Amino acid sequence: DSDLVAGVVYYRAGYTPDDYPTEIEWKGRGLVEHSAAIKCPDVFYHLFGAKKVQQELTKPGILTRFSTDATLLESCFAKLYALGEDNDQAVIDMALKDPHLFVLKPQREGGGNNLYDNDLVHALRTMTKEERGGYIVMQKIQPPSTSGVLIRRGEIAYEGDVVCELGVFGISLRDYSSSKNILMDEVVGHILRTKSVKTDEGGVAAGYAFLSSPKLV
């Protein structure tokens, strides 16, 4: 109905190539992006979440183009390494030597897609250079563990050592016609995910992690 106007578009899907099997889906995405609707996320923030874009942002001097707090932000970065570009053998050798220190990440979200340990080794030894181009090697984050109890459907699913990951929610509402047209740019909440130390993946929806709450001390 041409009389209906969409004010906000929230992407529950659209984050993998499988969501765009034909030109129809690409045209639909283009229609939304060129509309006046508020997108969550818009294509710029969508790309910002891509591993390859994050890899570029970790290169020296790149982040200073976008932030005055670049040095502080860079101090929090895990190291990212490109694959499938030029001669990537040094990166492959590094990851194969100590696979427990790295994660092989594709352009995917939601958990269940990363490769660790033996799976990482097998992938790097068998993938073609073109296939490797869809991945990055990332330094594995080693958070401190604590004891905890994880509950699913009212029953104890796991009791033992756990690790946590804190995510911060923000809202950025802007008009891209000018860099000065920032209508809202605020921190609005957080999410804490907790999982067993025996689990590499961390997606809640995928069943690997559990929602939790931080304890302020």
Side-chain angles (χ1 to χ4, degrees), residues 136-169:
I136 63 166
V137 171
M138 190 186 95
Q139 172 191 7
K140 189 175 182 180
I141 299 173
Q142 307 278 0
S145 64
T146 185
S147 59
V149 178
L150 304 180
I151 306 295
R152 178 182 288 125
R153 299 186 184 92
E155 299 182 355
I156 296 177
Y158 172 84
E159 185 172 2
D161 290 337
V162 297
V163 291
C164 300
E165 177 182 315
L166 180 68
V168 178
F169 293 121

Side-chain angles (χ1 to χ4, degrees), residues 3 39 53 59 88 126 154 186:
D3 294 331
K39 277 77 70 173
V53 174
K59 292 181 178 179
D88 59 1
T126 57
E186 301 175 4

Side-chain angles (χ1 to χ4, degrees), residues 50-210:
K51 304 300 185 296
K52 284 294 183 179
V53 174
Q54 293 173 3
Q55 168 200 310
E56 290 298 313
L57 290 172
T58 63
K59 292 181 178 179
I62 297 296
L63 202 58
T64 55
R65 297 169 52 191
F66 308 101
S67 175
T68 57
D69 296 320
T71 301
L72 178 61
L73 293 172
E74 288 171 348
S75 69
C76 303
F77 285 175
K79 295 182 179 179
L80 304 179
Y81 304 92
L83 289 172
E85 300 177 8
D86 301 322
N87 185 357
D88 59 1
Q89 191 59 48
V91 175
I92 295 173
D93 292 342
M94 175 185 66
L96 291 178
K97 180 182 178 181
D98 296 297
H100 63 286
L101 298 180
F102 301 96
V103 183
L104 192 61
K105 289 193 168 188
Q107 304 292 327
R108 297 291 187 274
E109 296 295 339
N113 302 296
N114 300 332
L115 299 177
Y116 302 85
D117 301 319
N118 292 336
D119 292 332
L120 176 151
V121 171
H122 176 74
L124 289 180
R125 285 178 173 171
T126 57
M127 286 192 300
T128 65
K129 186 173 184 179
E130 182 179 0
E131 289 172 334
R132 292 197 302 271
Y135 291 77
I136 63 166
V137 171
M138 190 186 95
Q139 172 191 7
K140 189 175 182 180
I141 299 173
Q142 307 278 0
S145 64
T146 185
S147 59
V149 178
L150 304 180
I151 306 295
R152 178 182 288 125
R153 299 186 184 92
E155 299 182 355
I156 296 177
Y158 172 84
E159 185 172 2
D161 290 337
V162 297
V163 291
C164 300
E165 177 182 315
L166 180 68
V168 178
F169 293 121
I171 291 179
S172 179
L173 185 61
R174 61 190 64 210
D175 179 354
Y176 285 110
S177 63
S178 171
S179 60
K180 298 180 180 180
N181 290 344
I182 301 176
L183 307 176
M184 181 182 295
D185 191 13
E186 301 175 4
V187 174
V188 295
H190 65 268
I191 181 174
L192 187 70
R193 299 184 294 186
T194 303
K195 65 178 183 179
S196 162
V197 294
K198 302 175 183 178
T199 301
D200 288 317
E201 291 287 355
V204 173
Y208 297 103
F210 295 70

